[in-house]
Amino acid sequence: MQKPPQPQDFALKETSPNIGAGSVTGDKLSCTYDLVEQMQYLYVRVVKAKDLPAKDVTGSCDPYVEVKLGNYKGVTRHFEKKSNPEWNQVFAFSKDRLQASFLEAVVKDKDVVLDDFMGRVIFDLIDIPKRIPPDSPLAPQWYRLEDRKGVKVKGELMLAVWMGTQADEAFPDAWHSDAATVGPEGVNNIRSKVYLSPKLWYVRVNVIEAQDLLPNDKSRYPEVFVKVMHGNQVLRTRISQSKSINPMWNEDLMFVAAEPFEEPLFLTVEDRVGSGKDEILGKCVIALQNVQRRLDHKPVNTRWFNLEKHMIIDGEQKKDIKFASRIHLRICLDGGYHVLDESTHYSSDLRPTAKQLWKSSIGILEVGVLSAVGLMPMKTKDGRGTTDAYCVAKYGQKWVRTRTIVDSFNPKWNEQYIWEVFDPCTVITMGVFDNGHIHGGDKGGKDSKIGKVRIRLSTLEADRVYTHSYPLLVLHPSGVKKTGEIQLAVRFTCSSLINMLHMYSHPLLPKMHYIHPLSVIQLDSLRHQAMQIVSMRLSRAEPPLRKEVVEYMLDVDSHMWSMRRSKANFFRIMGVLSGLIAVGKWLDQICNWKNPLTTILIHVLYIILVLYPELILPTIFLYLFLIGIWNFRWRPRHPPHMDTRLSHADAAHPDERDEEFDTFPTSRPSDIVRMRYDRLRSIAGRVQTVVGDLATQGERFQSLLSWRDPRATTLFVTFCLIAAIVLYVTPFQVVALLAGIYVLRHPRFRHKLPSAPLNFFRRLPARSDSML
């Protein structure tokens, strides 16, 4: 079934950016920055000053340096009462916006009313040297200060001035002329940064038994359970079946923890004394730093832990006294699992937690984040729409964030990043966001999402540079919107083809997931906890990668109910089954002699395969080989991208979209919730009918030999006996030949009523009559 084409506006476009991509042409150097367009910058490193003249009545000065280039002006921080200050700050001026022929570095003295001029150094732009990495950084030099007339005055300034590109190591921490409007408090929020996800572990707590518990009420059998807390994760065992002071559980509880381990495990043994009323019988605290780490399925040693009794004296005073109660536990950090912190459908990393189990990398992934075009205004400033865009990319444990381009609908980043690849069947995710924290004080603001792109590495050819413009699509309650396009250059380089091909025979997840599998409910809960830990840790970095950004990149809400997604998944299933349906229709045409020549050829082929059964499997595999070779001509030339038709984003009803954006629990009025509930009931009713029909067919198969219908079973058993005798004395090839000719018989030998076997099957009893 051919899928209708994407609307042109939402389609992927191939581009031809002016990048090096491994070649040396003119001044374009083959280096690590060959997937981005080179951007020229004038760099000024202000290191320090000495022997500055005193300006105040106190005989000292409060110096700072002002670096001016045309209308652009960068300022260092100032020092109180210091004549030999050290700044070591870098300023970068974009060559595209140079508006002057000379650069001026002015040393000034901070004053209450008007800052005093102390001296300056002037450079002619023609004389400034060019630096190309990997050359060593340009050594700064001392320059004597001059007054406004060019006369040498007291004081010297140490500077380094050079022309370079964004490949320069000074680039990430430099003050940029592009962001001249950003105040000092907002500069940190616009810089590019590389982050690492915290190292996540599964913590397995096997609660075995407790001994010598002391319940307050000795007259009743205690109903004891264990509650374990780690951070905001709380799990309980079931109430012990052995209702005594020595209860047993032997239950596994699983948690997610991140290095460095900041929070211990809090364990309490509690007695259910009444409805909603639990009494603490003992507690203990276990530091994760001391817990044994295991790499395989071999059990670790068990340990007894003393329980502390929690006593309340005089209603308010509390004290802990140690006593004889103990609890028997087996606790370990499971390093053989991969802690899932993103959706399993597009994971970027599948390695186990323990580094000892990592295999060697199979290649590298390089991504050049070039630019974006046609971005929508995301906020209003001074009465006009504006966007301060930055890009985030996530692959494996490494997150990268480009610098923020201030007030531009067509930002150019031209930043290149590299990742090690350990599995080709992984996905890199890139998102574009609007920076809502540039002006520092806006603490309550959020970084708005502009769009997201996913690229599966296994769909990329090795060593080919893909340069495409990807549509940035966001689903709003009002419908799907294109918020712009992002231009990327992507290259996947394979270090060993044999190793990469060998990876396709390996299990997708580490072996512990198959030896000791976790339940689907456990995995879903642990994934949610892992996402919360990752977003919390990254939001504490500097500059922070904010919670809303991390959650959007990790698809936190992908498991939530959505009518649109359900329809999309249904049509995906129909698309998969369409091939089988097409084969069924073709066979029906063959059986009904729609094209007599084709039917005769099928007869001949069938007879040959029956007479020479050793040709059946070779024929099937040869046919699949020829189809694959034939389809090679139409193989996809471009990486996949977000598809609005596949997602049913453009055909969703407004109420369905509103339901998708509803909070959990719902915040909509009761009449809308009632309508949606009734709609969900009607859909569930249809699903229920289909499931019931499937169950009925299965039960009819079971009733063939169950004697539920004695006459039907008698007929079937008799038929089986006769068939066994006939098939024993008749060669199999004769039976197959006669059966095939009967199925392919001419329509004049057919009638439209159902066949006798089908009629017999439909008359068999099912258990549906016994259902209430």
Side-chain angles (χ1 to χ4, degrees), residues 715-728:
L715 283 171
F716 183 68
V717 168
T718 307
F719 168 77
C720 288
L721 178 63
I722 295 168
I725 295 167
V726 170
L727 291 173
Y728 181 73

Side-chain angles (χ1 to χ4, degrees), residues 34-51:
D34 62 344
L35 291 184
V36 291
E37 295 178 348
Q38 288 200 359
M39 300 172 73
Q40 299 293 329
Y41 285 89
L42 170 60
Y43 289 98
V44 182
R45 181 186 293 278
V46 180
V47 184
K48 56 186 175 180
K50 67 179 181 181
D51 302 333

